[in-house]
Amino acid sequence: MEKDHEMAITQISKSLEKLGLSTQNYNDATLLRFLIARSLDIEKATKMFVEWKSWRDEFVPLGFIPDSEVPDELGDEKIYLQGLSRIGQHPVMVIKANKHFPSKDQLQFKKFVVHLLDKIIASSFKDGKEIGNEKLMAVLDLEKISYKNVDARGLIIGFQFLQAYYPERLAKLYMLNMPWFFVRVWKMISYFLEKATLEKVIIVSNEEQRKDFVQQIGEDTLTEDYGGRGKLVPIQDVALNHFPA
């Protein structure tokens, strides 16, 4: 670990302890994610951690969101968990946007976002234990979407949760098959994204980018329609011993 990172971790630990928050249950890798997300600014990283802890205690009191709290969102079978990427060994989430419709139950939708992010990240734990620096790869497939599937609010919520409560958890997000009418929607959504998040979003629009997409994620993980050999696996069909259903 770099010396400036070590110093920053020591400083944020002391800062949190002064506020009455023990860092005993959080390892260095976890604290470092918050520090990197705030460019090693101790004050800003401390504030981010405190806000995350408060949100987590209130919104996820059990430590996870069970399947029973998000039945409608799971029933659409729009999120798939495909195993680990070839490069980086990150869990890969595939989102079929043409199966999504704006939710009438915003609380359930927000819980679903937390449910899927927690489960995807947990799927890369080694021996069921979190290291703290796990990341995920996402594939947003916009093929065959109509105006009824467009949910700018839902996407903004998803990105805001990632930025505020899952710092440094996103490795890359690939957007595939973007129709012309979605370009304006994406420009509007982009205004809500931090620069660091935008830099991780890749809009696949040519053959060279598609080849890189396949190489990064791997043919065993991707399905045939993406140039791979795998099969889509709905997230609710993935059983993790360390993540209760």
Side-chain angles (χ1 to χ4, degrees):
M1 184 180 293
E2 299 176 16
K3 285 188 176 180
D4 57 340
H5 286 178
E6 291 180 357
M7 290 177 61
I9 289 169
T10 299
Q11 288 177 309
I12 192 175
S13 296
K14 291 180 179 178
S15 180
L16 289 168
E17 287 171 2
K18 286 181 180 179
L19 295 173
L21 289 175
S22 172
T23 59
Q24 187 174 356
N25 295 326
Y26 305 102
N27 57 27
D28 290 354
T30 297
L31 296 176
L32 186 59
R33 286 193 293 105
F34 288 85
L35 287 161
I36 291 175
R38 291 297 176 261
S39 303
L40 300 187
D41 185 307
I42 306 302
E43 185 177 345
K44 291 181 179 179
T46 298
K47 180 181 178 183
M48 186 183 195
F49 185 94
V50 170
E51 290 175 347
W52 164 78
K53 183 70 167 58
S54 177
W55 167 81
R56 191 82 192 178
D57 290 344
E58 181 179 350
F59 199 77
V60 199
L62 297 176
F64 69 101
I65 303 291
D67 291 8
S68 60
E69 292 190 22
V70 290
D72 298 334
E73 297 293 337
L74 286 175
D76 292 337
E77 288 201 359
K78 56 193 172 187
I79 306 292
Y80 303 85
L81 182 50
Q82 294 301 108
L84 302 179
S85 64
R86 179 174 175 272
I87 306 298
Q89 292 292 289
H90 305 304
V92 177
M93 167 180 65
V94 175
I95 306 165
K96 289 286 189 178
N98 65 349
K99 292 188 174 185
H100 173 77
F101 298 92
S103 178
K104 295 179 181 178
D105 185 343
Q106 283 298 301
L107 178 58
Q108 182 178 160
F109 178 75
K110 290 177 180 179
K111 287 184 176 183
F112 180 62
V113 172
V114 173
H115 170 86
L116 67 89
L117 290 176
D118 282 355
K119 188 169 184 178
I120 290 164
I121 292 166
S123 71
S124 65
F125 291 176
K126 294 183 179 180
D127 299 322
K129 295 181 180 179
E130 180 180 6
I131 294 175
N133 60 357
E134 294 87 353
K135 297 178 183 288
L136 65 90
M137 297 269 271
V139 179
L140 176 58
D141 188 352
L142 299 164
E143 186 176 22
K144 296 180 181 179
I145 67 167
S146 68
Y147 287 104
K148 291 181 180 180
N149 304 117
V150 175
D151 186 9
R153 181 182 182 182
L155 275 171
I156 291 170
I157 288 172
F159 278 115
Q160 288 180 332
F161 272 39
L162 269 172
Q163 292 177 162
Y165 307 129
Y166 295 85
E168 293 300 304
R169 287 299 201 186
L170 180 64
K172 287 182 181 180
L173 186 152
Y174 290 96
M175 299 180 70
L176 308 179
N177 305 310
M178 182 183 289
W180 64 269
F181 66 83
F182 195 81
V183 174
R184 183 173 294 180
V185 177
W186 175 244
K187 285 183 178 179
M188 185 270 288
I189 293 170
S190 298
Y191 287 120
F192 294 88
L193 272 59
E194 298 172 359
K195 181 182 177 182
T197 303
L198 270 175
E199 290 174 347
K200 296 172 183 177
V201 177
I202 301 169
I203 300 174
V204 178
S205 57
N206 57 50
E207 189 58 31
E208 183 178 347
Q209 290 172 329
R210 184 167 286 274
K211 286 182 179 179
D212 180 68
F213 160 69
V214 174
Q215 183 179 18
Q216 288 283 326
I217 296 183
E219 294 179 353
D220 291 335
T221 302
L222 292 171
T223 55
E224 288 185 11
D225 49 336
Y226 300 132
R229 296 183 291 269
K231 293 182 179 181
L232 284 174
V233 182
I235 190 169
Q236 61 265 38
D237 291 348
V238 177
L240 302 175
N241 292 332
H242 52 284
F243 191 89

Short mmCIF file of all heavy atoms in Angstrom, two decimals, residues 111-135:
data_model
loop_
_atom_site.label_atom_id
_atom_site.label_comp_id
_atom_site.label_asym_id
_atom_site.label_seq_id
_atom_site.Cartn_x
_atom_site.Cartn_y
_atom_site.Cartn_z
N LYS A 111 -35.02 -0.32 -2.66
CA LYS A 111 -34.56 -1.52 -1.96
C LYS A 111 -33.98 -2.53 -2.93
O LYS A 111 -33.02 -3.24 -2.62
CB LYS A 111 -35.73 -2.15 -1.18
CG LYS A 111 -36.14 -1.37 0.06
CD LYS A 111 -37.23 -2.11 0.84
CE LYS A 111 -37.56 -1.39 2.14
NZ LYS A 111 -38.57 -2.13 2.94
N PHE A 112 -34.58 -2.60 -4.12
CA PHE A 112 -34.09 -3.52 -5.15
C PHE A 112 -32.68 -3.14 -5.60
O PHE A 112 -31.83 -4.01 -5.80
CB PHE A 112 -35.05 -3.52 -6.33
CG PHE A 112 -34.65 -4.45 -7.45
CD1 PHE A 112 -34.55 -5.81 -7.23
CD2 PHE A 112 -34.38 -3.96 -8.72
CE1 PHE A 112 -34.19 -6.68 -8.26
CE2 PHE A 112 -34.02 -4.81 -9.75
CZ PHE A 112 -33.92 -6.17 -9.52
N VAL A 113 -32.44 -1.84 -5.75
CA VAL A 113 -31.10 -1.38 -6.13
C VAL A 113 -30.07 -1.83 -5.10
O VAL A 113 -29.00 -2.35 -5.43
CB VAL A 113 -31.07 0.16 -6.28
CG1 VAL A 113 -29.64 0.66 -6.47
CG2 VAL A 113 -31.94 0.59 -7.46
N VAL A 114 -30.41 -1.67 -3.81
CA VAL A 114 -29.51 -2.09 -2.74
C VAL A 114 -29.36 -3.61 -2.74
O VAL A 114 -28.25 -4.14 -2.59
CB VAL A 114 -30.04 -1.61 -1.37
CG1 VAL A 114 -29.20 -2.18 -0.23
CG2 VAL A 114 -30.03 -0.09 -1.31
N HIS A 115 -30.47 -4.32 -2.91
CA HIS A 115 -30.44 -5.78 -2.95
C HIS A 115 -29.49 -6.29 -4.02
O HIS A 115 -28.63 -7.15 -3.76
CB HIS A 115 -31.85 -6.31 -3.21
CG HIS A 115 -31.92 -7.78 -3.49
ND1 HIS A 115 -32.01 -8.73 -2.49
CD2 HIS A 115 -31.91 -8.48 -4.67
CE1 HIS A 115 -32.04 -9.94 -3.04
NE2 HIS A 115 -31.98 -9.81 -4.35
N LEU A 116 -29.62 -5.77 -5.23
CA LEU A 116 -28.81 -6.31 -6.32
C LEU A 116 -27.35 -5.91 -6.18
O LEU A 116 -26.45 -6.71 -6.45
CB LEU A 116 -29.39 -5.91 -7.68
CG LEU A 116 -29.39 -4.45 -8.11
CD1 LEU A 116 -28.11 -4.10 -8.86
CD2 LEU A 116 -30.58 -4.18 -9.02
N LEU A 117 -27.09 -4.67 -5.74
CA LEU A 117 -25.69 -4.25 -5.58
C LEU A 117 -25.00 -5.05 -4.47
O LEU A 117 -23.86 -5.50 -4.64
CB LEU A 117 -25.62 -2.75 -5.27
CG LEU A 117 -25.99 -1.81 -6.42
CD1 LEU A 117 -25.97 -0.35 -5.95
CD2 LEU A 117 -25.04 -1.98 -7.60
N ASP A 118 -25.69 -5.24 -3.35
CA ASP A 118 -25.13 -6.03 -2.26
C ASP A 118 -24.84 -7.46 -2.68
O ASP A 118 -23.78 -8.03 -2.38
CB ASP A 118 -26.07 -6.04 -1.06
CG ASP A 118 -26.03 -4.76 -0.25
OD1 ASP A 118 -25.20 -3.89 -0.56
OD2 ASP A 118 -26.82 -4.62 0.70
N LYS A 119 -25.79 -8.06 -3.39
CA LYS A 119 -25.64 -9.47 -3.78
C LYS A 119 -24.55 -9.65 -4.82
O LYS A 119 -23.76 -10.60 -4.75
CB LYS A 119 -26.96 -10.02 -4.31
CG LYS A 119 -26.92 -11.53 -4.55
CD LYS A 119 -28.31 -12.09 -4.81
CE LYS A 119 -28.25 -13.62 -4.95
NZ LYS A 119 -29.61 -14.20 -5.17
N ILE A 120 -24.50 -8.73 -5.77
CA ILE A 120 -23.47 -8.82 -6.82
C ILE A 120 -22.08 -8.68 -6.21
O ILE A 120 -21.17 -9.45 -6.52
CB ILE A 120 -23.71 -7.76 -7.90
CG1 ILE A 120 -24.97 -8.12 -8.70
CG2 ILE A 120 -22.51 -7.65 -8.84
CD1 ILE A 120 -25.52 -7.00 -9.53
N ILE A 121 -21.91 -7.71 -5.33
CA ILE A 121 -20.61 -7.52 -4.69
C ILE A 121 -20.27 -8.74 -3.82
O ILE A 121 -19.14 -9.23 -3.83
CB ILE A 121 -20.62 -6.24 -3.84
CG1 ILE A 121 -20.71 -5.01 -4.76
CG2 ILE A 121 -19.37 -6.15 -2.97
CD1 ILE A 121 -21.05 -3.73 -4.06
N ALA A 122 -21.27 -9.25 -3.10
CA ALA A 122 -21.03 -10.42 -2.23
C ALA A 122 -20.65 -11.65 -3.03
O ALA A 122 -19.96 -12.54 -2.51
CB ALA A 122 -22.28 -10.71 -1.40
N SER A 123 -21.07 -11.73 -4.28
CA SER A 123 -20.76 -12.91 -5.10
C SER A 123 -19.27 -13.05 -5.39
O SER A 123 -18.81 -14.11 -5.81
CB SER A 123 -21.54 -12.87 -6.41
OG SER A 123 -21.04 -11.87 -7.29
N SER A 124 -18.50 -11.97 -5.16
CA SER A 124 -17.06 -12.05 -5.41
C SER A 124 -16.25 -12.22 -4.12
O SER A 124 -15.02 -12.26 -4.16
CB SER A 124 -16.58 -10.79 -6.14
OG SER A 124 -16.74 -9.64 -5.33
N PHE A 125 -16.95 -12.32 -2.98
CA PHE A 125 -16.24 -12.55 -1.72
C PHE A 125 -15.51 -13.89 -1.78
O PHE A 125 -16.07 -14.87 -2.25
CB PHE A 125 -17.20 -12.58 -0.53
CG PHE A 125 -17.83 -11.25 -0.20
CD1 PHE A 125 -18.78 -11.16 0.81
CD2 PHE A 125 -17.47 -10.08 -0.87
CE1 PHE A 125 -19.37 -9.95 1.14
CE2 PHE A 125 -18.06 -8.87 -0.54
CZ PHE A 125 -19.01 -8.81 0.46
N LYS A 126 -14.31 -13.92 -1.28
CA LYS A 126 -13.55 -15.17 -1.22
C LYS A 126 -13.76 -15.83 0.13
O LYS A 126 -13.57 -15.20 1.17
CB LYS A 126 -12.06 -14.89 -1.47
CG LYS A 126 -11.78 -14.39 -2.87
CD LYS A 126 -10.30 -14.18 -3.12
CE LYS A 126 -10.05 -13.70 -4.54
NZ LYS A 126 -8.61 -13.49 -4.81
N ASP A 127 -14.21 -17.08 0.08
CA ASP A 127 -14.52 -17.83 1.31
C ASP A 127 -15.60 -17.13 2.13
O ASP A 127 -15.63 -17.22 3.36
CB ASP A 127 -13.27 -18.03 2.17
CG ASP A 127 -12.18 -18.82 1.44
OD1 ASP A 127 -12.54 -19.76 0.71
OD2 ASP A 127 -11.00 -18.46 1.58
N GLY A 128 -16.47 -16.40 1.42
CA GLY A 128 -17.58 -15.72 2.08
C GLY A 128 -17.20 -14.50 2.88
O GLY A 128 -18.01 -13.96 3.62
N LYS A 129 -15.96 -14.04 2.72
CA LYS A 129 -15.49 -12.89 3.51
C LYS A 129 -15.17 -11.71 2.59
O LYS A 129 -14.56 -11.87 1.55
CB LYS A 129 -14.24 -13.28 4.31
CG LYS A 129 -14.51 -14.34 5.37
CD LYS A 129 -13.25 -14.66 6.16
CE LYS A 129 -13.50 -15.72 7.22
NZ LYS A 129 -12.28 -16.05 7.98
N GLU A 130 -15.60 -10.54 3.03
CA GLU A 130 -15.37 -9.32 2.26
C GLU A 130 -13.95 -8.80 2.46
O GLU A 130 -13.47 -8.70 3.59
CB GLU A 130 -16.38 -8.25 2.67
CG GLU A 130 -16.23 -6.94 1.92
CD GLU A 130 -17.25 -5.89 2.35
OE1 GLU A 130 -18.00 -6.15 3.31
OE2 GLU A 130 -17.28 -4.83 1.72
N ILE A 131 -13.30 -8.47 1.36
CA ILE A 131 -11.98 -7.84 1.45
C ILE A 131 -12.16 -6.34 1.65
O ILE A 131 -11.46 -5.71 2.43
CB ILE A 131 -11.16 -8.12 0.17
CG1 ILE A 131 -10.85 -9.62 0.07
CG2 ILE A 131 -9.87 -7.31 0.17
CD1 ILE A 131 -10.16 -10.02 -1.20
N GLY A 132 -13.14 -5.78 0.93
CA GLY A 132 -13.43 -4.35 1.08
C GLY A 132 -13.21 -3.56 -0.19
O GLY A 132 -13.69 -2.44 -0.33
N ASN A 133 -12.45 -4.15 -1.14
CA ASN A 133 -12.15 -3.43 -2.38
C ASN A 133 -12.81 -4.07 -3.60
O ASN A 133 -12.43 -3.80 -4.74
CB ASN A 133 -10.63 -3.37 -2.60
CG ASN A 133 -10.00 -4.76 -2.72
OD1 ASN A 133 -10.68 -5.77 -2.58
ND2 ASN A 133 -8.70 -4.81 -2.95
N GLU A 134 -13.82 -4.94 -3.37
CA GLU A 134 -14.49 -5.61 -4.48
C GLU A 134 -15.22 -4.61 -5.39
O GLU A 134 -15.78 -3.63 -4.91
CB GLU A 134 -15.50 -6.64 -3.96
CG GLU A 134 -14.89 -7.81 -3.23
CD GLU A 134 -14.66 -7.55 -1.75
OE1 GLU A 134 -14.87 -6.40 -1.30
OE2 GLU A 134 -14.28 -8.49 -1.04
N LYS A 135 -15.18 -4.87 -6.68
CA LYS A 135 -15.86 -4.04 -7.66
C LYS A 135 -16.77 -4.91 -8.52
O LYS A 135 -16.69 -6.14 -8.50
CB LYS A 135 -14.84 -3.32 -8.57
CG LYS A 135 -13.92 -2.35 -7.83
CD LYS A 135 -12.94 -1.72 -8.81
CE LYS A 135 -11.95 -0.80 -8.09
NZ LYS A 135 -12.59 0.46 -7.65
#
